[in-house]
Amino acid sequence: MTSTDQHIARAGVAELARGIARGAFTPTEVTDVFLRRIQDLNPAIGAFVAVYEDEARHAARQATQALAQGQRLSPLHGIPFAVKDIVDVAGKFTTYGSRTGAGRQAGATAE
């Protein structure tokens, strides 16, 4: 892990937002750091039931491109986030944190 990766991994949301806003790192870089950490740590801690890497990387690329074009959509633009598996997202696994929900896919996204 590079020193920049370590900085990103340890930064809080506000610091990440400032770094992205000033161009110290891109949403793509931030997302890649966190996806690598999930890959490294999740087997031992089981924090994530499912990780949607392709979708995360696609959203990060879009955020990076928008910033390159001068479009910052919000103070949290480009910050990756996780959705707990108690919130329905259409077509994604929603287990409600229980083995009884294993394999359940949401039919619609919660409002």
Side-chain angles (χ1 to χ4, degrees), residues 1-57:
M1 186 179 277
T2 69
S3 62
T4 300
D5 289 356
Q6 289 175 359
H7 179 78
I8 289 169
R10 292 187 173 105
V13 172
E15 188 175 353
L16 289 173
R18 286 190 299 270
I20 288 170
R22 72 173 187 268
F25 31 79
T26 67
T28 302
E29 292 168 320
V30 172
T31 298
D32 285 342
V33 166
F34 285 107
L35 287 172
R36 281 192 303 274
R37 291 200 34 95
I38 291 167
Q39 288 173 347
D40 291 346
L41 300 173
N42 199 53
I45 62 176
F48 293 89
V49 172
V51 178
Y52 302 101
E53 292 183 39
D54 292 340
E55 291 93 332
R57 285 195 172 98

Side-chain angles (χ1 to χ4, degrees), residues 56-93:
R57 285 195 172 98
H58 178 74
R61 283 191 303 273
Q62 286 184 315
T64 298
Q65 289 171 352
L67 288 167
Q69 296 169 357
Q71 300 171 346
R72 186 168 179 240
L73 304 179
S74 77
L76 298 179
H77 183 93
I79 302 292
F81 64 94
V83 177
K84 180 74 177 144
D85 71 330
I86 60 171
V87 177
D88 283 343
V89 176
K92 304 299 181 195
F93 292 105

Side-chain angles (χ1 to χ4, degrees), residues 49 85 94-104:
V49 172
D85 71 330
T94 308
T95 68
Y96 302 109
S98 171
R99 289 186 195 124
T100 62
R104 181 190 174 280

